[in-house]
Amino acid sequence: MPDAPLGPPRPSISPALVAATLVALVLFRAVVWVGWEQSHFDPDQAVIGLMGQHIAEGRAFPVFMYGQTYLLTIESWLAAPLFAAFGASVPLLKAPILAMDVAIVLLLYFGLLRAGTTAIGAWLASLFFAMAPPITGSRLVEAAGGHIEPFLFALLLWWLRHRAVWYGIVAGIGVTHREFAWYAVAATLALDVWGSTAWSRRRLRHWATVAIVLVLVGVGLRALARRDPVLGPGTEGMAVAGLMTTPAGRLCIDPSTSLSNLHWLFTRNLPALFGWRPEPLRYYNLNSDLTAGHWWVLAAIVAIAGMAVVRVVPVLVAWRPSWSAGGPEGRRPEIAPSLFPGFLVLVGVQAALVYALASCGVQRQMYIRYDLLTLFVASGATAWLLTTLRQAVGRRVVIAAVLAWTFAAAWDTARVLHEYLVRTPPNPVRELITHLERRGLRLGHAPYEIAYMVTFMSREQVVLGSTDIVRINEYQDRVHSSKTPVVYVRRAPCELTAPAATELDGWCIEWD
């Protein structure tokens, strides 16, 4: 007879309940950036919104973002039904992006559960995405066309890694949308090689199918875009010189700048991304008077990274590839779910290194968007350590480090939310729109940095053509053909020769 258990059984934790807490944290870190239009909105996001408005009204059906031939209009198409039902707005533009955030955290959490991580371990590892600090959190719900989708494509490719046709379809869409999807493809291939499965006949057929489907999807999307309204409604199939044709144009491999780029990555970009460098939020185009980030958070990140490196080096040194087909009929086991943390780390490491070593203009704080996927390194390393560490002390150090990091991120997020609830920052674009509408000024000229924001946020009740970067020709034509007074919005101060002018929030408003 087996021995009786010593005491009552320990209650199990419901994975669904744990997942619900992660969803709640995603909503918490996103509420300011989605709920208040002035918190973080810029002209590129406004163009995404205007495309959604044009789709909702049946005026244009773009495949790629206006003014370029990459960045699929995924976010615009998702927002279009909401605009059709409720009217265009910044919160509704960002609502589908927030839904993608929720889907990502669920795919991440349940993927880690399938990898053998405990419910609490998977929860801890998922916190790096669910409770990202304010600077990073704002980018994860930014309607910029390509910030959040790479996370979703990477996780979908992991879940579809054994389904060649579906994998090829998602990879084809992903790499056409943004080149970052290649990181997930490369990570899957690397794990195939690691597990000595890559050279089996079954896997070779698998990857051949993936390659064929990927190319067909990419070619199909490009063919579909031949009649794209490249500069908005009425420009279908128009040939426009100077369009940004491919992200490859931003690739720069210059060994002379590698060290300085890596220095920037580790002293500016990653500190802002993970929140261990105090930074004024306005420095990242966020409408807040606060400074976020804490130097002591670096200790938590170093603890996790240091333990992961110490443990992984012997594993890598001991690895020996096997080139035999093996198994009956050349079959080998598929990529195991337990390799998911390694997949996350590989994707994230590629994001960081490609950003630093193969990109142009690396040393700009706004380019933090190009290495957002580095968050996956922290998630993968944490999950792997909590799964493989046998010493209770080591696991406790990892848990304490993650909780300390999460507390810092949550504290800063709560401070930003308190700021918006108690002393809401001004909304200069909305004030400008109100001022123009009161004066009956409905058409005009303005720099790109403000023109499309005013046009979108006013639901095209005020239309400003851009005086520099033109994304939508229709607005230029409407302004130039206008028989009513036209307004000119410029950076203040106003010119003394203007017939009528006023200054508002740093802008000079002139009209005839």
Side-chain angles (χ1 to χ4, degrees):
M1 179 179 294
D3 295 334
L6 300 176
R10 302 176 69 178
S12 60
I13 300 175
S14 167
L17 180 61
V18 176
T21 66
L22 291 172
V23 172
L25 289 174
V26 168
L27 298 177
F28 170 59
R29 62 123 159 109
V31 63
V32 168
W33 317 120
V34 174
W36 279 269
E37 64 181 9
Q38 73 268 39
S39 61
H40 177 52
F41 197 60
D42 57 35
D44 287 347
Q45 297 184 72
V47 173
I48 298 291
L50 287 166
M51 290 192 297
Q53 189 170 339
H54 297 164
I55 294 169
E57 296 171 356
R59 293 160 56 191
F61 303 100
V63 177
F64 292 100
M65 183 176 179
Y66 291 159
Q68 58 196 41
T69 56
Y70 74 99
L71 274 184
L72 296 174
T73 52
I74 294 172
E75 293 170 8
S76 301
W77 280 93
L78 291 175
L82 297 177
F83 291 175
F86 306 106
S89 69
V90 175
L92 286 180
L93 173 62
K94 293 187 175 184
I97 302 170
L98 180 56
M100 282 192 269
D101 277 51
V102 170
I104 288 164
V105 82
L106 293 177
L107 288 171
L108 177 62
Y109 172 71
F110 286 106
L112 290 169
L113 282 183
R114 290 190 63 190
T117 312
T118 64
I120 293 300
W123 180 77
L124 289 165
S126 300
L127 287 174
F128 289 99
F129 180 86
M131 195 58 256
I135 293 173
T136 307
S138 69
R139 268 53 187 179
L140 294 177
V141 288
E142 182 176 345
H147 288 21
I148 196 63
E149 288 88 343
F151 287 91
L152 184 59
F153 286 129
L155 293 174
L156 287 176
L157 288 175
W158 170 260
W159 283 85
L160 296 171
R161 65 194 183 279
H162 301 319
R163 299 179 179 273
V165 173
W166 282 108
Y167 189 101
I169 292 172
V170 173
I173 297 171
V175 300
T176 304
H177 180 64
R178 285 302 313 238
E179 65 275 24
F180 305 143
W182 284 118
Y183 301 155
V185 177
T188 312
L189 274 168
L191 292 176
D192 245 0
V193 174
W194 172 268
S196 302
T197 65
W199 310 113
S200 68
R201 289 191 293 272
R202 183 179 182 183
R203 292 304 286 176
L204 288 174
R205 288 195 299 269
H206 170 90
W207 284 111
T209 303
V210 166
I212 293 170
V213 174
L214 188 156
V215 170
L216 290 175
V217 169
V219 170
L221 288 171
R222 294 289 173 184
L224 189 63
R226 287 178 182 173
R227 296 291 299 171
D228 222 23
V230 292
L231 290 177
T235 62
E236 286 77 3
M238 176 180 171
V240 180
L243 289 185
M244 191 178 294
T245 56
T246 171
R250 295 192 301 275
L251 289 177
C252 297
I253 301 176
D254 184 358
S256 66
T257 64
S258 296
L259 288 179
S260 62
N261 286 348
L262 286 171
H263 181 265
W264 174 273
L265 175 71
F266 285 100
T267 61
R268 297 302 298 272
N269 249 70
L270 294 184
L273 188 71
F274 286 96
W276 79 68
R277 178 188 175 97
E279 296 266 30
L281 295 182
R282 288 192 183 276
Y283 190 55
Y284 288 84
N285 198 29
L286 303 179
N287 190 2
S288 171
D289 293 326
L290 300 178
T291 294
H294 307 271
W295 287 108
W296 55 266
V297 170
L298 179 59
I301 299 298
V302 168
I304 295 171
M307 293 178 68
V309 169
V310 168
R311 287 191 61 83
V312 80
V313 167
V315 175
L316 295 176
V317 170
W319 177 70
R320 295 291 184 275
S322 172
W323 307 105
S324 62
E329 300 181 2
R331 294 176 180 267
R332 285 188 175 276
E334 303 285 7
I335 300 173
S338 60
L339 293 175
F340 184 46
F343 170 82
L344 295 174
V345 171
L346 288 173
V347 170
V349 167
Q350 288 178 87
L353 293 182
V354 171
Y355 167 80
L357 302 178
S359 301
C360 309
V362 169
Q363 299 183 29
R364 291 178 57 185
Q365 76 274 12
M366 302 308 291
Y367 283 175
I368 190 174
R369 61 183 182 266
Y370 293 144
D371 59 357
L372 287 172
L373 284 167
T374 309
L375 291 173
F376 274 166
V377 176
S379 293
T382 298
W384 183 65
L385 287 171
L386 292 177
T387 303
T388 61
L389 282 172
R390 295 291 176 260
Q391 300 85 0
V393 173
R395 293 196 299 274
R396 288 170 184 165
V397 169
V398 174
I399 293 171
V402 175
L403 292 178
W405 179 89
T406 304
F407 172 80
W411 173 254
D412 283 342
T413 300
R415 290 171 57 228
V416 176
L417 178 58
H418 178 266
E419 177 187 32
Y420 270 79
L421 290 173
V422 175
R423 53 182 191 280
T424 307
N427 189 344
V429 179
R430 182 60 62 188
E431 292 172 7
L432 176 58
I433 293 169
T434 301
H435 182 83
L436 295 175
E437 288 180 335
R438 284 176 179 173
R439 289 185 175 271
L441 299 169
R442 302 286 180 169
L443 294 170
H445 303 275
Y448 176 75
E449 60 180 305
I450 192 71
Y452 296 128
M453 294 174 65
V454 168
T455 304
F456 173 72
M457 290 172 61
S458 69
R459 298 184 181 179
E460 295 185 320
Q461 295 305 299
V462 177
V463 173
L464 299 182
S466 176
T467 56
D468 39 34
I469 302 173
V470 176
R471 297 273 191 179
I472 304 173
N473 266 2
E474 178 185 284
Y475 302 153
Q476 308 297 116
D477 296 338
R478 287 172 64 179
V479 173
H480 287 302
S481 62
S482 172
K483 297 180 180 179
T484 59
V486 171
V487 66
Y488 296 85
V489 180
R490 303 184 177 94
R491 280 291 179 186
C494 295
E495 298 177 5
L496 296 178
T497 58
T502 185
E503 291 189 14
L504 179 70
D505 294 316
W507 293 100
C508 174
I509 306 167
E510 304 172 354
W511 63 96
D512 299 329

